[in-house]
Amino acid sequence: MSILIIEAFYGGSHKQLVDLLQEELGDCVLFTLPAKKWHWRARTSALYFSQNIPSSEHYRILFASSVLNLTELAALRPDLGKLKKILYFHENQLVYPVKKCQERDFQYGYNQILSCLVADVIVFNSIFNMESFLTSIGKFMKLIPDHRPKDLESIIRPKCQVIYFPIRFPDVSRFMPKHKAAHLKKMLSLKGSGSAASSMVLPFPPEQRDCENVLKKCNTEHSAHSGLDTAQQGNLQESDLEKPNMSDNSSSNCEENRQNLTPHPCESLSGADDQQRPLHIVWPHRWLEAVYCGCYPLCPKDLVYPEIFPAEYLYSTPEQLSKRLQNFCKRPDIIRKHLYKGEMAPFSWAALHGKFRSLLTTEPKEDL
């Protein structure tokens, strides 16, 4: 195994990415820690991995997320420090949301900066993620009372690049209206490849073949650190929705309320009058997937969203959001007939697998 993949927070989008790389690229060995107690993973995972990853002369590349303190691991395991070290940022701790600025723990951002200095290649999942990290380094380091390091951004920036988080889109066309299914196929067509659309979608595994599971996967999947979404999530309000009673000791009531709020997706696409059926507002936590399934994105004109979505899907103020939601609730047919005007293909595994393969097959400069 020439590719050593280390994931200190093996859950959510972190798990999704490394599982995909291991499955699709092969020649990988994966070492992980469960996705819980994130702060302790950031503090101590390097020591754990240093003691539990066996030595091997076959390793050539080390791929890890920025949860891992790569500097500590390289110091504790000089044999791993010699590898080509690739650091992938799902999020960055210099701008990750905290309730109050004084609550931000300096150590986590500092660890990520040190890891960048040690890494050979630094990969971010969006331009926003990369630029917000790089341009915040100077201000962040001013928190040090004296003897501050200098020129860190200029040292780190040349090693940085953006590769979007890859998604293997499943085939959901049979759950969609014909006009949206046809548009979906068109969106997934890659330039210069007539057969690309079919290669970018995969059939659902048996446990996901029913319509309800499709909806649940889009609407409820969530993790503490999840790439283009959670760290950069907008403030979509659900004030117009009747919220279910989430009592801990009343699972039957919760289930009943959930069913009342969200009809079976196959029934919702059955051809009933678009103007009569109510509009359903969801906060998916997986935007790039929700839009693929036919949702209309409505996101703040901030953070990563302008990079991903065309301007017509963005709002600038809470008042604009409220007004647009009211208009859509009055005319739900507008949403149901709408065909998404943005791009989908650049975020697919079919479009990105070449970049990841190239990233993970280049030999290190050192003679091992």
Side-chain angles (χ1 to χ4, degrees), residues 189-196:
S189 296
L190 286 175
K191 194 172 183 179
S193 176
S195 62

Side-chain angles (χ1 to χ4, degrees), residues 143-321:
L143 294 173
I144 301 175
D146 56 12
H147 300 287
R148 302 182 187 109
K150 298 179 180 179
D151 303 322
L152 297 184
E153 179 184 348
S154 62
I155 296 172
I156 294 172
R157 182 176 284 275
K159 299 191 286 185
C160 296
Q161 60 178 282
V162 172
I163 303 180
Y164 286 113
F165 187 93
I167 302 171
R168 285 194 300 189
F169 291 112
D171 183 4
V172 296
S173 58
R174 61 190 180 280
F175 303 126
M176 303 176 70
K178 291 183 178 179
H179 70 290
K180 288 201 173 186
H183 183 64
L184 178 65
K185 184 176 181 180
K186 182 179 179 181
M187 278 198 300
L188 290 180
S189 296
L190 286 175
K191 194 172 183 179
S193 176
S195 62
S198 60
S199 69
M200 295 175 69
V201 296
L202 298 174
F204 277 111
E207 66 273 15
Q208 295 179 7
R209 292 190 188 280
D210 61 281
C211 296
E212 187 173 2
N213 279 342
V214 178
L215 187 68
K216 285 166 64 180
K217 185 170 180 63
C218 270
N219 291 358
T220 64
E221 186 179 4
H222 172 66
S223 69
H225 297 280
S226 47
L228 297 177
D229 43 38
T230 309
Q232 303 153 0
Q233 198 64 258
N235 296 316
L236 183 59
Q237 302 296 319
E238 298 185 2
S239 57
D240 294 328
L241 294 179
E242 178 185 352
K243 297 184 179 179
N245 178 12
M246 299 300 287
S247 174
D248 290 339
N249 59 0
S250 181
S251 59
S252 60
N253 288 341
C254 177
E255 177 64 18
E256 181 180 352
N257 280 326
R258 187 190 65 78
Q259 291 178 352
N260 289 337
L261 281 173
T262 308
H264 197 284
C266 292
E267 294 176 359
S268 68
L269 301 177
S270 61
D273 184 2
D274 285 345
Q275 187 59 29
Q276 296 299 319
R277 289 188 288 114
L279 183 69
H280 294 86
I281 304 172
V282 298
W283 190 329
H285 296 291
R286 292 288 185 273
W287 288 95
L288 304 175
E289 290 95 326
V291 173
Y292 170 81
C293 290
C295 291
Y296 182 104
L298 192 53
C299 311
K301 192 177 182 180
D302 195 10
L303 307 174
V304 74
Y305 297 110
E307 183 180 340
I308 301 174
F309 298 111
E312 69 175 271
Y313 302 109
L314 308 177
Y315 63 87
S316 298
T317 65
E319 290 75 21
Q320 289 181 0
L321 171 61

Side-chain angles (χ1 to χ4, degrees), residues 334-353:
I334 295 177
I335 298 298
R336 295 196 172 99
K337 294 176 182 178
H338 180 80
L339 298 178
Y340 180 62
K341 298 178 183 178
E343 294 188 38
M344 194 75 66
F347 304 100
S348 70
W349 172 248
L352 295 169
H353 79 276

